[in-house]
Amino acid sequence: MTDHLIDPAASHEKLLIIDFGSQVTQLIARRLRELNVYCEIHPYQNVDDAFLAEFAPKAVIFSGGPCSVIDEGSPRPPEGVYDLGVPILGICYGQQVMMQGLGGLVERGHGTAEFGRAYVVPHGELELLQGWFEGDKEQVWMSHGDHVSKIAPGFEVYGTSPNAPYAITADVSRNFYAVQFHPEVHHTPNGAKLYENFVRMAGFSGDWTMGAYREQAIAAIREQVGDAHVICGLSGGVDSSVAAVLLHEAIGDQLTCVFVDHGLLRKNEAEEVVKMFRDNYHMKLIHADERDLFLGELDGQSDPETKRKIIGKLFIDVFQKYANEIEDAKFLAQGTLYPDVIESVSFSGGPSVTIKSHHNVGGLPEKMGLKLVEPLRELFKDEVRALGAELGLPQSFIGRHPFPGPGLAIRCPGEITRAKLEILREADAVFIDQIRKHGLYDDIWQAFVAILPVKTVGVMGDGRTYDYACALRAVTSVDGMTADYYPFEHDFLGETATRIINEVPGINRVTYDITSKPPGTIEWE
Ligand code: XMP
């Protein structure tokens, strides 16, 4: 562990996932989290006998992977893993590596490859399969070219598929289990049951709960930070809000949050954030009102990339300016999440760590000589929300739609003016109000209004109007990488358009953006 990592799992029962490079290793972790089991994914290169001794797992899972065990130099677990005396589950490549390591045989394809849906039929009783095979076969997801042609001594076959005679194998006396398919993926509909059985058999008590996490994370933050000061950039988004509240609970006044108002926030947003954290939580909070600076620099700019660059640079300058005023600051808090830090196996040059650079303070820790404190780095997004609830943050904060760092600037194509921003804020507030009133907020991943750089002619009462057109945008998505437009009822759209035109001076035409991503992006710039 590097010195900036906290280890909230120190006293938890731990499961080790040895990663051989599968695309879906994260999903194994996800399934285990759902069972309240703490696990860590480590690339096989980093796992040696010393690591195993220190980590002391209660059980081990070998992930799948893209290599062939037949090839020289292909990934292997350390041999000592088989002597730990703990249950091991091998998946796909993990099965093959286990069979080969323990004296079985793996061969290449020749008509035995299987990709996609397959059906496994049972072959005898096995505790790992309890609750499975309610029918006479189970759907599973296969993705293998090589196959096991001879199982290792001590193993028996408990399930077969047309192209995998050793689809499910086990050496019950040693608690070693190995399957050819991927129980962690959606297309193995009952796969979670396998993990449930595995962790039960391994003796996990399910001690990975949010309440326990909270206590341990607080202890770990205190230990890491000592009596130094921590700076936390607060945007009002879920991650930074939860990180701030957790840190505050741990170190109180040693924490100072910096909230930068760049003049591109939504209606009442600055007031709400400041009120919540300063008045409710009594946090030390710097409200950096830098609206004039940002809007001044953006004046006359209409190119999307130029706007983003201006905002990004100013943000860092401003953040640094305020952070420099905080005495004895040694740490910068970031709301980095688990999917951002999972070490993935790179077959082109050793393990690589992907860490999301925070949109707004990227590069700052090095520049300012600060160490990082990342109290959410063990959590998935929905777990961050659960922790937020555990910490008493209101649902209105926890369940918020994502909001981009550059704010309304990228929802105002063309030139940004204060007048247009004001119109946009009002229209956006009406749209979100409509969505909430109709009970749709949680079904939609993100929703907002963009004000278009075009005025159109209309007629209101007996008079001609010449005002801005706006576009409503509402999408469904899982991760923001792909998205589809939300299929509102026509009545909803009609009612919303009427409300916006009636209630928001400056807009006389409303359109609904029905572009998916790809080919569009979610934001307009
Ligand atoms: P796009 O428009 O690329 O957006 O489809 C995908 C998601 O990312 C958000 N987004 C940003 N978030 N800083 C952020 O913090 C940014 O610069 C940024 N640009 C886009 C966007 O709101 C959507 O949720």
Side-chain angles (χ1 to χ4, degrees), residues 251-282:
I251 56 170
D253 276 354
Q254 285 165 252
L255 172 73
T256 304
C257 292
V258 180
F259 172 66
V260 178
D261 181 353
H262 49 20
L264 301 158
L265 299 169
R266 288 165 291 189
K267 189 177 177 182
N268 299 334
E269 191 160 18
E271 294 76 13
E272 280 171 17
V273 171
V274 172
K275 191 168 161 21
M276 160 77 81
F277 292 96
R278 199 182 269 162
D279 299 353
N280 280 12
Y281 282 97
H282 308 291

PDB file of all heavy atoms in Angstrom, residues 251-282:
ATOM      1  N   ILE A 251     -12.381  14.668  11.111  1.00  0.00           N
ATOM      2  CA  ILE A 251     -11.359  15.618  11.580  1.00  0.00           C
ATOM      3  C   ILE A 251     -11.891  17.015  11.863  1.00  0.00           C
ATOM      4  O   ILE A 251     -11.109  17.929  12.164  1.00  0.00           O
ATOM      5  CB  ILE A 251     -10.190  15.699  10.562  1.00  0.00           C
ATOM      6  CG1 ILE A 251     -10.707  16.080   9.179  1.00  0.00           C
ATOM      7  CG2 ILE A 251      -9.407  14.402  10.538  1.00  0.00           C
ATOM      8  CD1 ILE A 251      -9.611  16.418   8.189  1.00  0.00           C
ATOM      9  N   GLY A 252     -13.204  17.211  11.757  1.00  0.00           N
ATOM     10  CA  GLY A 252     -13.816  18.487  12.145  1.00  0.00           C
ATOM     11  C   GLY A 252     -13.151  19.691  11.509  1.00  0.00           C
ATOM     12  O   GLY A 252     -13.048  19.773  10.286  1.00  0.00           O
ATOM     13  N   ASP A 253     -12.666  20.590  12.343  1.00  0.00           N
ATOM     14  CA  ASP A 253     -12.135  21.860  11.852  1.00  0.00           C
ATOM     15  C   ASP A 253     -10.782  21.767  11.158  1.00  0.00           C
ATOM     16  O   ASP A 253     -10.264  22.773  10.674  1.00  0.00           O
ATOM     17  CB  ASP A 253     -12.033  22.864  13.006  1.00  0.00           C
ATOM     18  CG  ASP A 253     -13.375  23.542  13.218  1.00  0.00           C
ATOM     19  OD1 ASP A 253     -14.281  23.296  12.391  1.00  0.00           O
ATOM     20  OD2 ASP A 253     -13.511  24.299  14.199  1.00  0.00           O
ATOM     21  N   GLN A 254     -10.221  20.590  11.125  1.00  0.00           N
ATOM     22  CA  GLN A 254      -8.981  20.446  10.332  1.00  0.00           C
ATOM     23  C   GLN A 254      -9.312  20.414   8.837  1.00  0.00           C
ATOM     24  O   GLN A 254      -8.435  20.374   8.005  1.00  0.00           O
ATOM     25  CB  GLN A 254      -8.258  19.147  10.693  1.00  0.00           C
ATOM     26  CG  GLN A 254      -7.534  19.189  12.013  1.00  0.00           C
ATOM     27  CD  GLN A 254      -7.166  17.773  12.447  1.00  0.00           C
ATOM     28  OE1 GLN A 254      -7.758  17.240  13.381  1.00  0.00           O
ATOM     29  NE2 GLN A 254      -6.221  17.165  11.760  1.00  0.00           N
ATOM     30  N   LEU A 255     -10.593  20.398   8.530  1.00  0.00           N
ATOM     31  CA  LEU A 255     -11.025  20.372   7.131  1.00  0.00           C
ATOM     32  C   LEU A 255     -11.517  21.751   6.709  1.00  0.00           C
ATOM     33  O   LEU A 255     -12.294  22.380   7.423  1.00  0.00           O
ATOM     34  CB  LEU A 255     -12.178  19.376   6.960  1.00  0.00           C
ATOM     35  CG  LEU A 255     -12.856  19.367   5.591  1.00  0.00           C
ATOM     36  CD1 LEU A 255     -11.950  18.704   4.550  1.00  0.00           C
ATOM     37  CD2 LEU A 255     -14.188  18.638   5.643  1.00  0.00           C
ATOM     38  N   THR A 256     -11.036  22.213   5.556  1.00  0.00           N
ATOM     39  CA  THR A 256     -11.621  23.417   4.957  1.00  0.00           C
ATOM     40  C   THR A 256     -12.069  23.070   3.548  1.00  0.00           C
ATOM     41  O   THR A 256     -11.289  22.540   2.757  1.00  0.00           O
ATOM     42  CB  THR A 256     -10.592  24.565   4.892  1.00  0.00           C
ATOM     43  OG1 THR A 256     -10.089  24.802   6.198  1.00  0.00           O
ATOM     44  CG2 THR A 256     -11.246  25.836   4.358  1.00  0.00           C
ATOM     45  N   CYS A 257     -13.324  23.363   3.265  1.00  0.00           N
ATOM     46  CA  CYS A 257     -13.829  23.109   1.913  1.00  0.00           C
ATOM     47  C   CYS A 257     -13.768  24.403   1.108  1.00  0.00           C
ATOM     48  O   CYS A 257     -13.964  25.491   1.646  1.00  0.00           O
ATOM     49  CB  CYS A 257     -15.263  22.615   1.973  1.00  0.00           C
ATOM     50  SG  CYS A 257     -15.389  20.977   2.693  1.00  0.00           S
ATOM     51  N   VAL A 258     -13.489  24.241  -0.179  1.00  0.00           N
ATOM     52  CA  VAL A 258     -13.487  25.402  -1.066  1.00  0.00           C
ATOM     53  C   VAL A 258     -14.550  25.179  -2.131  1.00  0.00           C
ATOM     54  O   VAL A 258     -14.517  24.180  -2.865  1.00  0.00           O
ATOM     55  CB  VAL A 258     -12.106  25.585  -1.745  1.00  0.00           C
ATOM     56  CG1 VAL A 258     -12.131  26.799  -2.666  1.00  0.00           C
ATOM     57  CG2 VAL A 258     -11.009  25.721  -0.702  1.00  0.00           C
ATOM     58  N   PHE A 259     -15.501  26.083  -2.151  1.00  0.00           N
ATOM     59  CA  PHE A 259     -16.574  25.995  -3.141  1.00  0.00           C
ATOM     60  C   PHE A 259     -16.418  27.164  -4.109  1.00  0.00           C
ATOM     61  O   PHE A 259     -16.507  28.330  -3.709  1.00  0.00           O
ATOM     62  CB  PHE A 259     -17.930  26.057  -2.426  1.00  0.00           C
ATOM     63  CG  PHE A 259     -19.101  26.167  -3.354  1.00  0.00           C
ATOM     64  CD1 PHE A 259     -19.429  25.135  -4.224  1.00  0.00           C
ATOM     65  CD2 PHE A 259     -19.886  27.318  -3.371  1.00  0.00           C
ATOM     66  CE1 PHE A 259     -20.510  25.245  -5.080  1.00  0.00           C
ATOM     67  CE2 PHE A 259     -20.970  27.426  -4.224  1.00  0.00           C
ATOM     68  CZ  PHE A 259     -21.278  26.388  -5.077  1.00  0.00           C
ATOM     69  N   VAL A 260     -16.127  26.852  -5.358  1.00  0.00           N
ATOM     70  CA  VAL A 260     -15.885  27.910  -6.337  1.00  0.00           C
ATOM     71  C   VAL A 260     -17.172  28.200  -7.110  1.00  0.00           C
ATOM     72  O   VAL A 260     -17.719  27.310  -7.774  1.00  0.00           O
ATOM     73  CB  VAL A 260     -14.769  27.503  -7.331  1.00  0.00           C
ATOM     74  CG1 VAL A 260     -14.572  28.590  -8.374  1.00  0.00           C
ATOM     75  CG2 VAL A 260     -13.467  27.226  -6.590  1.00  0.00           C
ATOM     76  N   ASP A 261     -17.652  29.421  -7.001  1.00  0.00           N
ATOM     77  CA  ASP A 261     -18.823  29.824  -7.786  1.00  0.00           C
ATOM     78  C   ASP A 261     -18.314  30.554  -9.026  1.00  0.00           C
ATOM     79  O   ASP A 261     -17.837  31.691  -8.945  1.00  0.00           O
ATOM     80  CB  ASP A 261     -19.719  30.743  -6.940  1.00  0.00           C
ATOM     81  CG  ASP A 261     -20.971  31.164  -7.704  1.00  0.00           C
ATOM     82  OD1 ASP A 261     -21.063  30.855  -8.915  1.00  0.00           O
ATOM     83  OD2 ASP A 261     -21.856  31.804  -7.099  1.00  0.00           O
ATOM     84  N   HIS A 262     -18.406  29.869 -10.154  1.00  0.00           N
ATOM     85  CA  HIS A 262     -17.886  30.464 -11.386  1.00  0.00           C
ATOM     86  C   HIS A 262     -18.965  31.182 -12.191  1.00  0.00           C
ATOM     87  O   HIS A 262     -18.752  31.557 -13.339  1.00  0.00           O
ATOM     88  CB  HIS A 262     -17.142  29.442 -12.239  1.00  0.00           C
ATOM     89  CG  HIS A 262     -17.883  28.133 -12.467  1.00  0.00           C
ATOM     90  ND1 HIS A 262     -19.232  27.997 -12.321  1.00  0.00           N
ATOM     91  CD2 HIS A 262     -17.422  26.919 -12.855  1.00  0.00           C
ATOM     92  CE1 HIS A 262     -19.566  26.749 -12.596  1.00  0.00           C
ATOM     93  NE2 HIS A 262     -18.484  26.077 -12.924  1.00  0.00           N
ATOM     94  N   GLY A 263     -20.124  31.340 -11.561  1.00  0.00           N
ATOM     95  CA  GLY A 263     -21.190  32.067 -12.257  1.00  0.00           C
ATOM     96  C   GLY A 263     -21.920  31.206 -13.271  1.00  0.00           C
ATOM     97  O   GLY A 263     -22.739  31.697 -14.044  1.00  0.00           O
ATOM     98  N   LEU A 264     -21.599  29.908 -13.265  1.00  0.00           N
ATOM     99  CA  LEU A 264     -22.194  29.016 -14.259  1.00  0.00           C
ATOM    100  C   LEU A 264     -22.973  27.909 -13.572  1.00  0.00           C
ATOM    101  O   LEU A 264     -23.125  26.811 -14.095  1.00  0.00           O
ATOM    102  CB  LEU A 264     -21.078  28.430 -15.138  1.00  0.00           C
ATOM    103  CG  LEU A 264     -20.270  29.506 -15.868  1.00  0.00           C
ATOM    104  CD1 LEU A 264     -18.902  28.985 -16.281  1.00  0.00           C
ATOM    105  CD2 LEU A 264     -21.037  30.006 -17.092  1.00  0.00           C
ATOM    106  N   LEU A 265     -23.457  28.235 -12.370  1.00  0.00           N
ATOM    107  CA  LEU A 265     -24.211  27.251 -11.601  1.00  0.00           C
ATOM    108  C   LEU A 265     -25.697  27.396 -11.879  1.00  0.00           C
ATOM    109  O   LEU A 265     -26.139  28.378 -12.464  1.00  0.00           O
ATOM    110  CB  LEU A 265     -23.940  27.444 -10.109  1.00  0.00           C
ATOM    111  CG  LEU A 265     -22.476  27.256  -9.727  1.00  0.00           C
ATOM    112  CD1 LEU A 265     -22.244  27.729  -8.302  1.00  0.00           C
ATOM    113  CD2 LEU A 265     -22.062  25.803  -9.884  1.00  0.00           C
ATOM    114  N   ARG A 266     -26.459  26.404 -11.415  1.00  0.00           N
ATOM    115  CA  ARG A 266     -27.904  26.447 -11.641  1.00  0.00           C
ATOM    116  C   ARG A 266     -28.583  27.374 -10.627  1.00  0.00           C
ATOM    117  O   ARG A 266     -27.950  27.844  -9.684  1.00  0.00           O
ATOM    118  CB  ARG A 266     -28.465  25.021 -11.516  1.00  0.00           C
ATOM    119  CG  ARG A 266     -28.083  24.167 -12.689  1.00  0.00           C
ATOM    120  CD  ARG A 266     -28.303  22.710 -12.403  1.00  0.00           C
ATOM    121  NE  ARG A 266     -27.367  22.211 -11.399  1.00  0.00           N
ATOM    122  CZ  ARG A 266     -27.224  20.927 -11.086  1.00  0.00           C
ATOM    123  NH1 ARG A 266     -27.960  20.014 -11.684  1.00  0.00           N
ATOM    124  NH2 ARG A 266     -26.351  20.543 -10.177  1.00  0.00           N
ATOM    125  N   LYS A 267     -29.874  27.547 -10.823  1.00  0.00           N
ATOM    126  CA  LYS A 267     -30.631  28.459  -9.967  1.00  0.00           C
ATOM    127  C   LYS A 267     -30.499  28.051  -8.496  1.00  0.00           C
ATOM    128  O   LYS A 267     -30.702  26.883  -8.158  1.00  0.00           O
ATOM    129  CB  LYS A 267     -32.104  28.440 -10.399  1.00  0.00           C
ATOM    130  CG  LYS A 267     -32.926  29.500  -9.712  1.00  0.00           C
ATOM    131  CD  LYS A 267     -34.363  29.495 -10.227  1.00  0.00           C
ATOM    132  CE  LYS A 267     -35.182  30.516  -9.464  1.00  0.00           C
ATOM    133  NZ  LYS A 267     -36.575  30.521  -9.879  1.00  0.00           N
ATOM    134  N   ASN A 268     -30.153  28.981  -7.654  1.00  0.00           N
ATOM    135  CA  ASN A 268     -30.044  28.785  -6.186  1.00  0.00           C
ATOM    136  C   ASN A 268     -28.969  27.802  -5.756  1.00  0.00           C
ATOM    137  O   ASN A 268     -28.886  27.441  -4.582  1.00  0.00           O
ATOM    138  CB  ASN A 268     -31.380  28.285  -5.582  1.00  0.00           C
ATOM    139  CG  ASN A 268     -32.485  29.280  -5.791  1.00  0.00           C
ATOM    140  OD1 ASN A 268     -32.213  30.483  -5.926  1.00  0.00           O
ATOM    141  ND2 ASN A 268     -33.716  28.809  -5.837  1.00  0.00           N
ATOM    142  N   GLU A 269     -28.173  27.303  -6.701  1.00  0.00           N
ATOM    143  CA  GLU A 269     -27.248  26.226  -6.354  1.00  0.00           C
ATOM    144  C   GLU A 269     -26.207  26.671  -5.317  1.00  0.00           C
ATOM    145  O   GLU A 269     -25.947  25.962  -4.344  1.00  0.00           O
ATOM    146  CB  GLU A 269     -26.555  25.729  -7.628  1.00  0.00           C
ATOM    147  CG  GLU A 269     -25.782  24.465  -7.414  1.00  0.00           C
ATOM    148  CD  GLU A 269     -25.515  23.720  -8.722  1.00  0.00           C
ATOM    149  OE1 GLU A 269     -25.623  24.345  -9.791  1.00  0.00           O
ATOM    150  OE2 GLU A 269     -25.197  22.536  -8.646  1.00  0.00           O
ATOM    151  N   ALA A 270     -25.612  27.833  -5.551  1.00  0.00           N
ATOM    152  CA  ALA A 270     -24.561  28.290  -4.632  1.00  0.00           C
ATOM    153  C   ALA A 270     -25.118  28.437  -3.223  1.00  0.00           C
ATOM    154  O   ALA A 270     -24.536  27.951  -2.249  1.00  0.00           O
ATOM    155  CB  ALA A 270     -23.975  29.612  -5.124  1.00  0.00           C
ATOM    156  N   GLU A 271     -26.277  29.064  -3.124  1.00  0.00           N
ATOM    157  CA  GLU A 271     -26.881  29.279  -1.804  1.00  0.00           C
ATOM    158  C   GLU A 271     -27.150  27.940  -1.115  1.00  0.00           C
ATOM    159  O   GLU A 271     -26.877  27.766   0.071  1.00  0.00           O
ATOM    160  CB  GLU A 271     -28.210  30.042  -1.914  1.00  0.00           C
ATOM    161  CG  GLU A 271     -28.099  31.475  -2.423  1.00  0.00           C
ATOM    162  CD  GLU A 271     -27.873  31.555  -3.936  1.00  0.00           C
ATOM    163  OE1 GLU A 271     -28.046  30.542  -4.630  1.00  0.00           O
ATOM    164  OE2 GLU A 271     -27.493  32.641  -4.426  1.00  0.00           O
ATOM    165  N   GLU A 272     -27.690  26.990  -1.894  1.00  0.00           N
ATOM    166  CA  GLU A 272     -28.035  25.695  -1.297  1.00  0.00           C
ATOM    167  C   GLU A 272     -26.804  24.980  -0.768  1.00  0.00           C
ATOM    168  O   GLU A 272     -26.816  24.411   0.321  1.00  0.00           O
ATOM    169  CB  GLU A 272     -28.727  24.804  -2.339  1.00  0.00           C
ATOM    170  CG  GLU A 272     -30.184  25.139  -2.526  1.00  0.00           C
ATOM    171  CD  GLU A 272     -30.803  24.405  -3.718  1.00  0.00           C
ATOM    172  OE1 GLU A 272     -30.201  23.416  -4.195  1.00  0.00           O
ATOM    173  OE2 GLU A 272     -31.858  24.850  -4.183  1.00  0.00           O
ATOM    174  N   VAL A 273     -25.740  25.002  -1.558  1.00  0.00           N
ATOM    175  CA  VAL A 273     -24.528  24.290  -1.141  1.00  0.00           C
ATOM    176  C   VAL A 273     -23.936  24.957   0.100  1.00  0.00           C
ATOM    177  O   VAL A 273     -23.604  24.292   1.088  1.00  0.00           O
ATOM    178  CB  VAL A 273     -23.495  24.241  -2.296  1.00  0.00           C
ATOM    179  CG1 VAL A 273     -22.156  23.702  -1.804  1.00  0.00           C
ATOM    180  CG2 VAL A 273     -24.028  23.391  -3.441  1.00  0.00           C
ATOM    181  N   VAL A 274     -23.843  26.258   0.054  1.00  0.00           N
ATOM    182  CA  VAL A 274     -23.231  26.967   1.181  1.00  0.00           C
ATOM    183  C   VAL A 274     -24.064  26.772   2.447  1.00  0.00           C
ATOM    184  O   VAL A 274     -23.541  26.491   3.528  1.00  0.00           O
ATOM    185  CB  VAL A 274     -23.058  28.470   0.844  1.00  0.00           C
ATOM    186  CG1 VAL A 274     -22.618  29.249   2.075  1.00  0.00           C
ATOM    187  CG2 VAL A 274     -22.041  28.630  -0.274  1.00  0.00           C
ATOM    188  N   LYS A 275     -25.366  26.877   2.300  1.00  0.00           N
ATOM    189  CA  LYS A 275     -26.260  26.718   3.458  1.00  0.00           C
ATOM    190  C   LYS A 275     -26.113  25.318   4.055  1.00  0.00           C
ATOM    191  O   LYS A 275     -25.951  25.162   5.266  1.00  0.00           O
ATOM    192  CB  LYS A 275     -27.699  26.949   2.997  1.00  0.00           C
ATOM    193  CG  LYS A 275     -28.702  27.071   4.109  1.00  0.00           C
ATOM    194  CD  LYS A 275     -30.002  27.591   3.503  1.00  0.00           C
ATOM    195  CE  LYS A 275     -31.222  27.362   4.317  1.00  0.00           C
ATOM    196  NZ  LYS A 275     -31.179  27.112   5.687  1.00  0.00           N
ATOM    197  N   MET A 276     -26.147  24.358   3.168  1.00  0.00           N
ATOM    198  CA  MET A 276     -26.076  22.969   3.633  1.00  0.00           C
ATOM    199  C   MET A 276     -24.795  22.707   4.423  1.00  0.00           C
ATOM    200  O   MET A 276     -24.814  22.173   5.535  1.00  0.00           O
ATOM    201  CB  MET A 276     -26.154  22.047   2.419  1.00  0.00           C
ATOM    202  CG  MET A 276     -25.631  20.667   2.664  1.00  0.00           C
ATOM    203  SD  MET A 276     -26.800  19.721   3.584  1.00  0.00           S
ATOM    204  CE  MET A 276     -27.830  19.273   2.281  1.00  0.00           C
ATOM    205  N   PHE A 277     -23.669  23.108   3.870  1.00  0.00           N
ATOM    206  CA  PHE A 277     -22.416  22.699   4.498  1.00  0.00           C
ATOM    207  C   PHE A 277     -21.972  23.657   5.611  1.00  0.00           C
ATOM    208  O   PHE A 277     -21.384  23.232   6.583  1.00  0.00           O
ATOM    209  CB  PHE A 277     -21.325  22.504   3.443  1.00  0.00           C
ATOM    210  CG  PHE A 277     -21.633  21.318   2.575  1.00  0.00           C
ATOM    211  CD1 PHE A 277     -22.269  21.463   1.354  1.00  0.00           C
ATOM    212  CD2 PHE A 277     -21.342  20.050   3.019  1.00  0.00           C
ATOM    213  CE1 PHE A 277     -22.598  20.364   0.580  1.00  0.00           C
ATOM    214  CE2 PHE A 277     -21.666  18.942   2.259  1.00  0.00           C
ATOM    215  CZ  PHE A 277     -22.296  19.098   1.041  1.00  0.00           C
ATOM    216  N   ARG A 278     -22.293  24.926   5.432  1.00  0.00           N
ATOM    217  CA  ARG A 278     -21.865  25.869   6.462  1.00  0.00           C
ATOM    218  C   ARG A 278     -22.855  25.880   7.614  1.00  0.00           C
ATOM    219  O   ARG A 278     -22.486  25.724   8.770  1.00  0.00           O
ATOM    220  CB  ARG A 278     -21.729  27.271   5.847  1.00  0.00           C
ATOM    221  CG  ARG A 278     -20.873  28.191   6.693  1.00  0.00           C
ATOM    222  CD  ARG A 278     -20.811  29.574   6.067  1.00  0.00           C
ATOM    223  NE  ARG A 278     -19.698  29.732   5.158  1.00  0.00           N
ATOM    224  CZ  ARG A 278     -19.630  30.706   4.240  1.00  0.00           C
ATOM    225  NH1 ARG A 278     -20.625  31.563   4.084  1.00  0.00           N
ATOM    226  NH2 ARG A 278     -18.580  30.826   3.473  1.00  0.00           N
ATOM    227  N   ASP A 279     -24.142  25.990   7.300  1.00  0.00           N
ATOM    228  CA  ASP A 279     -25.139  26.124   8.367  1.00  0.00           C
ATOM    229  C   ASP A 279     -25.522  24.781   8.979  1.00  0.00           C
ATOM    230  O   ASP A 279     -25.630  24.655  10.188  1.00  0.00           O
ATOM    231  CB  ASP A 279     -26.405  26.810   7.836  1.00  0.00           C
ATOM    232  CG  ASP A 279     -26.093  28.215   7.332  1.00  0.00           C
ATOM    233  OD1 ASP A 279     -24.937  28.659   7.537  1.00  0.00           O
ATOM    234  OD2 ASP A 279     -26.979  28.845   6.737  1.00  0.00           O
ATOM    235  N   ASN A 280     -25.720  23.782   8.137  1.00  0.00           N
ATOM    236  CA  ASN A 280     -26.153  22.485   8.682  1.00  0.00           C
ATOM    237  C   ASN A 280     -25.010  21.694   9.283  1.00  0.00           C
ATOM    238  O   ASN A 280     -25.138  21.090  10.330  1.00  0.00           O
ATOM    239  CB  ASN A 280     -26.801  21.627   7.600  1.00  0.00           C
ATOM    240  CG  ASN A 280     -28.219  22.039   7.356  1.00  0.00           C
ATOM    241  OD1 ASN A 280     -28.629  23.085   7.819  1.00  0.00           O
ATOM    242  ND2 ASN A 280     -28.958  21.211   6.638  1.00  0.00           N
ATOM    243  N   TYR A 281     -23.901  21.664   8.561  1.00  0.00           N
ATOM    244  CA  TYR A 281     -22.792  20.833   9.035  1.00  0.00           C
ATOM    245  C   TYR A 281     -21.722  21.637   9.775  1.00  0.00           C
ATOM    246  O   TYR A 281     -20.763  21.061  10.278  1.00  0.00           O
ATOM    247  CB  TYR A 281     -22.161  20.081   7.859  1.00  0.00           C
ATOM    248  CG  TYR A 281     -22.970  18.876   7.442  1.00  0.00           C
ATOM    249  CD1 TYR A 281     -23.867  18.949   6.386  1.00  0.00           C
ATOM    250  CD2 TYR A 281     -22.862  17.672   8.120  1.00  0.00           C
ATOM    251  CE1 TYR A 281     -24.627  17.856   6.015  1.00  0.00           C
ATOM    252  CE2 TYR A 281     -23.610  16.561   7.764  1.00  0.00           C
ATOM    253  CZ  TYR A 281     -24.496  16.661   6.703  1.00  0.00           C
ATOM    254  OH  TYR A 281     -25.242  15.567   6.346  1.00  0.00           O
ATOM    255  N   HIS A 282     -21.871  22.944   9.759  1.00  0.00           N
ATOM    256  CA  HIS A 282     -20.914  23.819  10.437  1.00  0.00           C
ATOM    257  C   HIS A 282     -19.486  23.565   9.998  1.00  0.00           C
ATOM    258  O   HIS A 282     -18.566  23.459  10.806  1.00  0.00           O
ATOM    259  CB  HIS A 282     -21.047  23.685  11.967  1.00  0.00           C
ATOM    260  CG  HIS A 282     -22.469  23.863  12.414  1.00  0.00           C
ATOM    261  ND1 HIS A 282     -23.119  25.082  12.355  1.00  0.00           N
ATOM    262  CD2 HIS A 282     -23.384  22.967  12.847  1.00  0.00           C
ATOM    263  CE1 HIS A 282     -24.369  24.920  12.758  1.00  0.00           C
ATOM    264  NE2 HIS A 282     -24.557  23.652  13.049  1.00  0.00           N
TER     265      HIS A 282
END
